[in-house]
Amino acid sequence: MAIIRNTTVLTNLQTELSNAIANGLNTATIVNILNGALGAGEQIGQTAFNTITEGVYKKFGVGDQVLNRTEIVTTGIWSGDTGSLTVNATYTSSAQIANISGKYYIDVYNALTSSDSAEVQFSIAYGDYNGYGAPTIGQDDSSTRPTKATYSQYKNLLLSPTDEYFSVYSGPATSSAATTTHNLTSFYAINVNRARYKERLDPGNISITLAGTSGSITLIDDSGGTDENVTTSGRIYNLVSGSLNIGSALTASIKNVTSRNGEGYGLFYPDMGIILLNPNALASIVDIKLAPANSSMTGVYHNISLSGSTYSANSGSVMLLNTLAGGADFQVRRTENVSTAHYFIRANNREFNFSNNPTFVTGSAGQFTWPVFESNPKVFITTVGLYNDANELLAVAKTSKPIEKSFDKEVAIKVKLDF
Amino acid sequence: MGYLSNTELTVDAILTKKGREKLAAGGGLNITQFALADDEIDYNLYEPAHPLGSAYYDKAIISMPVLEASPDETQVMKYKLVTLPKDSKSIPVVSISQPSINATTKVTGPITISPNTSGGSNAQGGYTAILSNKNAGTLQGEGVTSDVGSVPVFIGDDVSATAATAKGTTFKFFPANNLTSNLTTTLTIYGNQTGGSITIPVTITYVV
């Protein structure tokens, strides 16, 4: 509450009140005089004097709108906003794999593709700097060299023009001794579907468990242990073995930064929704069939392991899918910046107590259906509409149940609008 | 000691098609006012003779689950709540003298439509008239300044593509002279302040 002692303001108010006796009160003038003496945050809105106006619309008062707020919203990325996906190696599309796109990537679904609920969750691709893992043009005139094209595609997308290779940790397993100097000449790319990750993946909340014949490993990103490395493709983190320690007070713990062969596990690009995995690192600790292709052969594609592949069928990307299914836990969250506005709907006891609902009235003269409403009308709010000055309905909100409104009750509803 | 009831409710709003259109146009929403509605409520469910007493008069209404909001602005906020004096005995009713408009393609002069509101006033906000099929003629509104909102909630993009709208306290309707067949449509007049409305049929008869 502000106490006004400003003599100029008090004199002006006295004059206006005197004029009001003869000519009526101009509330706008009174408000302007008062606001001249009030500080920021204390000023009165013009509508403060006009809140009880007959009609169907009510203007928002000063302070009834909280606009331009940004909230960071995190949710699970998989279908149904779940954070954990139990990968199943059979949740792929044979038609997609048989198609030309199958030589580049494999789409992985959340259910059998025959199911109505099946949606692509992520794709697995294999890229090779040398083009190994796919026929050369010399071996097959119609070869589109998909592994070479994939490597180049991700290189152009994620690396600066001066970089030729992706670099991962190299050296001992402890982070203090390891350096990021090992160049990846091949990788498996897990590309999260755009509709799933929306704005970006959430660093510090990714956990991929792989299990194969050699063992299992859980990969997390090292965002909790290192400063952010931001490049033209956004933030980059190294994948390391460890645990998120979800459900405990502990922060994520890193076990090893390199695999048994002394190479890092891969890279994580949260802003691009891309995870790159080092085939050699995974082959040394999870399954030998995850090893990179080391040659080009006619009719052999490392991405889909056609018969005659270097490591027979079920190697390459298919093997990565199998080890993901073996690990049975792929946890990722997404995060979005959501612009939010809050509107405070205040209906005081004298407002909005009658309805244009056809069941509220009877006859042609607008009489109430129930005579008791003549002395004590009651209405039930189910919908809030937000309008501009042209009375255009721009946003609408529904209450979870009808809210009673009468001359005995006031209602305050906070409407949250995200966009 | 019981728990205090939380009287402030928080609900999530969704943008209507019109709202998304405004955002896409880059002009911002510029929300300045609100209205409340009781769509879905059937006041015949109110039972002042309920055998369990007054606490149960509205039991059937407040127990009812409410449907989710529709982004189609033509399908929500149909029945707005209105602020009226406490001693009101009726809801403002919008009326016009003509029960219908019947004209021929030979009629050149305007037909004047003067809406009235009994039990309330739309003098300041005026009325919005919507001719459902703009091929039926031309609609002109008079008597309301341009800064008063004119588009009622019921009109959407689909409707506005075929309808003619005008704002005013009185309207002039010029029947179309270029029709080659009979045309039947409707004219609806909304009170911009009270929210009430009236709809009448409009028939333009083709005369050689």
Side-chain angles (χ1 to χ4, degrees):
Chain A
M1 184 176 71
I3 298 174
I4 300 171
R5 301 188 190 282
N6 184 312
T7 52
T8 304
V9 172
L10 294 174
T11 303
N12 288 341
L13 279 173
Q14 190 175 31
T15 304
E16 288 299 325
L17 290 172
S18 299
N19 291 339
I21 295 171
N23 306 316
L25 189 63
N26 183 337
T27 56
T29 305
I30 299 292
V31 169
N32 288 336
I33 293 170
L34 289 173
N35 282 343
L38 296 173
E42 296 179 324
Q43 296 188 337
I44 304 167
Q46 292 285 357
T47 53
F49 286 89
N50 299 322
T51 50
I52 310 301
T53 53
E54 293 182 13
V56 293
Y57 302 108
K58 180 179 178 181
K59 294 279 186 187
F60 284 108
V62 175
D64 285 346
Q65 301 181 71
V66 182
L67 308 175
N68 301 323
R69 295 180 68 88
T70 300
E71 290 184 2
I72 297 174
V73 177
T74 57
T75 51
I77 65 167
W78 309 122
S79 290
D81 292 344
T82 56
S84 298
L85 179 70
T86 303
V87 179
N88 188 314
T90 63
Y91 292 171
T92 57
S93 166
S94 56
Q96 186 265 320
I97 292 173
N99 195 289
I100 182 68
S101 67
K103 295 181 171 61
Y104 290 83
Y105 61 89
I106 299 171
D107 281 337
V108 181
Y109 293 73
N110 59 323
L112 287 172
T113 52
S114 57
S115 167
D116 290 341
S117 63
E119 293 178 310
V120 176
Q121 305 298 297
F122 61 90
S123 303
I124 299 174
Y126 176 75
D128 194 293
Y129 181 83
N130 299 305
Y132 297 154
T136 64
I137 295 176
Q139 293 166 333
D140 183 350
D141 286 350
S142 63
S143 174
T144 54
R145 299 189 290 167
T147 57
K148 175 71 174 174
T150 298
Y151 194 98
S152 301
Q153 181 183 34
Y154 283 80
K155 179 168 79 80
N156 284 352
L157 198 63
L158 302 174
L159 295 180
S160 66
T162 55
D163 289 337
E164 196 67 13
Y165 300 100
F166 294 93
S167 294
V168 294
Y169 275 129
S170 176
T174 55
S175 60
S176 59
T179 56
T180 53
T181 56
H182 178 73
N183 290 332
L184 288 181
T185 57
S186 61
F187 58 74
Y188 294 110
I190 295 176
N191 204 330
V192 178
N193 189 277
R194 175 68 185 81
R196 302 269 66 80
Y197 80 88
K198 293 184 177 176
E199 200 167 295
R200 60 189 182 275
L201 299 178
D202 190 14
N205 285 286
I206 180 169
S207 172
I208 309 169
T209 301
L210 302 164
T213 54
S214 303
S216 65
I217 189 171
T218 297
L219 300 177
I220 64 172
D221 70 89
D222 64 350
S223 58
T226 63
D227 293 333
E228 290 186 357
N229 178 20
V230 182
T231 68
T232 52
S233 55
R235 293 166 297 174
I236 304 175
Y237 300 104
N238 286 286
L239 289 175
V240 295
S241 74
S243 172
L244 292 180
N245 295 325
I246 291 174
S248 72
L250 301 172
T251 57
S253 53
I254 296 174
K255 186 178 178 185
N256 293 316
V257 299
T258 57
S259 186
R260 288 173 185 157
N261 68 344
E263 296 178 12
Y265 298 99
L267 300 166
F268 175 44
Y269 294 82
D271 299 311
M272 303 296 284
I274 293 173
I275 299 157
L276 298 185
L277 297 170
N278 179 358
N280 277 320
L282 298 182
S284 71
I285 200 165
V286 179
D287 198 303
I288 189 64
K289 288 183 179 179
L290 290 170
N294 55 12
S295 65
S296 295
M297 296 171 66
T298 304
V300 176
Y301 293 88
H302 201 62
N303 196 54
I304 48 179
S305 304
L306 295 179
S307 60
S309 171
T310 309
Y311 295 103
S312 74
N314 290 335
S315 64
S317 297
V318 171
M319 192 61 214
L320 180 63
L321 177 57
N322 287 338
T323 56
L324 282 168
D329 191 22
F330 191 170
Q331 294 181 42
V332 200
R333 289 197 325 194
R334 64 183 169 223
T335 180
E336 287 180 282
N337 286 351
V338 177
S339 295
T340 300
H342 296 278
Y343 299 89
F344 293 90
I345 308 295
R346 305 180 205 275
N348 71 32
N349 67 314
R350 288 175 291 170
E351 296 171 322
F352 299 108
N353 292 319
F354 300 89
S355 173
N356 282 296
N357 190 312
T359 64
F360 191 78
V361 296
T362 183
S364 59
Q367 299 98 325
F368 303 133
T369 300
W370 297 104
V372 67
F373 286 173
E374 288 186 12
S375 58
N376 185 22
K378 284 184 180 177
V379 294
F380 299 88
I381 301 165
T382 62
T383 316
V384 179
L386 304 178
Y387 294 81
N388 61 9
D389 279 335
N391 295 356
E392 291 173 313
L393 180 58
L394 304 179
V396 63
K398 298 291 287 279
T399 59
S400 59
K401 64 177 186 177
I403 300 169
E404 182 188 331
K405 178 72 184 71
S406 68
F407 278 100
D408 301 327
K409 292 189 176 180
E410 298 200 341
V411 171
I413 303 171
K414 181 181 174 185
V415 175
K416 181 167 172 275
L417 178 61
D418 297 334
F419 52 90
Chain B
M1 182 180 291
Y3 292 101
L4 291 173
S5 66
N6 187 353
T7 55
E8 183 184 272
L9 304 166
T10 300
V11 294
D12 289 327
I14 61 167
L15 290 172
T16 62
K17 289 191 293 183
K18 181 65 74 177
R20 290 201 299 267
E21 180 186 308
K22 294 281 182 186
L23 277 185
L29 289 175
N30 296 320
I31 289 170
T32 58
Q33 56 184 347
F34 68 90
L36 303 173
D38 58 2
D39 299 354
E40 307 171 54
I41 299 296
D42 182 353
Y43 285 91
N44 292 309
L45 295 172
Y46 194 80
E47 184 48 82
H50 197 289
L52 294 178
S54 57
Y56 288 82
Y57 290 177
D58 56 8
K59 192 69 174 176
I61 293 176
I62 61 175
S63 301
M64 185 181 71
V66 177
L67 299 173
E68 288 185 319
S70 164
D72 187 345
E73 62 268 23
T74 66
Q75 300 303 319
V76 290
M77 300 298 293
K78 287 183 175 179
Y79 308 127
K80 294 196 194 74
L81 304 185
V82 58
T83 300
L84 295 172
K86 188 174 184 181
D87 56 356
S88 298
K89 302 298 182 191
S90 62
I91 295 298
V93 175
V94 175
S95 62
I96 56 176
S97 58
Q98 300 97 328
S100 63
I101 293 177
N102 296 292
T104 69
T105 51
K106 293 293 185 185
V107 175
T108 56
I111 297 170
T112 301
I113 303 159
S114 301
N116 285 304
T117 305
S118 60
S121 173
N122 284 293
Q124 189 177 356
Y127 301 86
T128 296
I130 299 179
L131 184 64
S132 298
N133 187 341
K134 58 188 174 188
N135 294 331
T138 307
L139 205 55
Q140 289 180 357
E142 298 172 344
V144 171
T145 55
S146 59
D147 62 342
V148 177
S150 64
V151 182
V153 290
F154 301 98
I155 187 165
D157 296 339
D158 296 340
V159 177
S160 60
T162 56
T165 64
K167 173 188 64 178
T169 52
T170 61
F171 300 91
K172 286 183 176 174
F173 174 62
F174 298 85
N177 302 127
N178 56 353
L179 296 178
T180 56
S181 62
N182 296 346
L183 188 154
T184 301
T185 184
T186 58
L187 176 70
T188 303
I189 296 176
Y190 297 96
N192 288 336
Q193 287 174 258
T194 65
S197 66
I198 184 171
T199 299
I200 61 169
V202 176
T203 303
I204 311 298
T205 305
Y206 169 61
V207 177
V208 181

